[in-house]
Amino acid sequence: MMQLTTKEIQNRLANTTTIDDPFLEECKTDSRKGVQQLVQKWLKNYEQEKRLQQQFYQMQKYERIAWEKGYHFIAGIDEVGRVI
């Protein structure tokens, strides 16, 4: 890898979307502490995004069941502020 500055690496990592991206793999082998911190930050953000996607998918459980049954319009209610 051509010796990029940490700022250049940070900018390229901001546009990296997959865990198997060759650029990310190259960054993992860079010995500079700043680059390793950027890699760890990217990996942490990637895992957080995956958790949020999984949570969203789980929250859509009932909607997916209704869609599979042929419903096109699905409404819901929110209990925020509800007094029990």
Side-chain angles (χ1 to χ4, degrees):
M1 168 165 68
M2 191 174 92
Q3 188 81 348
L4 300 174
T5 66
T6 53
K7 186 66 175 172
E8 291 170 325
I9 291 172
Q10 182 179 19
N11 290 337
R12 285 195 56 186
L13 284 175
N15 296 317
T16 301
T17 58
T18 60
I19 193 105
D20 58 350
D21 188 288
F23 180 71
L24 179 62
E25 292 302 319
E26 287 182 46
C27 289
K28 287 179 181 178
T29 63
D30 193 307
S31 62
R32 293 176 287 174
K33 183 178 179 179
V35 174
Q36 291 307 306
Q37 288 173 337
L38 290 172
V39 168
Q40 291 305 312
K41 181 179 176 181
W42 187 93
L43 291 170
K44 181 180 174 182
N45 289 339
Y46 178 82
E47 290 301 321
Q48 175 67 15
E49 183 65 30
K50 288 295 175 191
R51 279 192 300 275
L52 289 173
Q53 288 175 354
Q54 182 62 30
Q55 180 184 9
F56 180 73
Y57 183 78
Q58 290 173 350
M59 289 169 48
Q60 285 186 315
K61 175 183 175 182
Y62 299 107
E63 286 90 343
R64 283 194 315 278
I65 292 169
W67 289 327
E68 289 170 4
K69 291 181 179 179
Y71 292 97
H72 298 284
F73 301 102
I74 302 168
I77 59 169
D78 189 347
E79 294 89 20
V80 173
R82 182 176 168 187
V83 178
I84 299 179

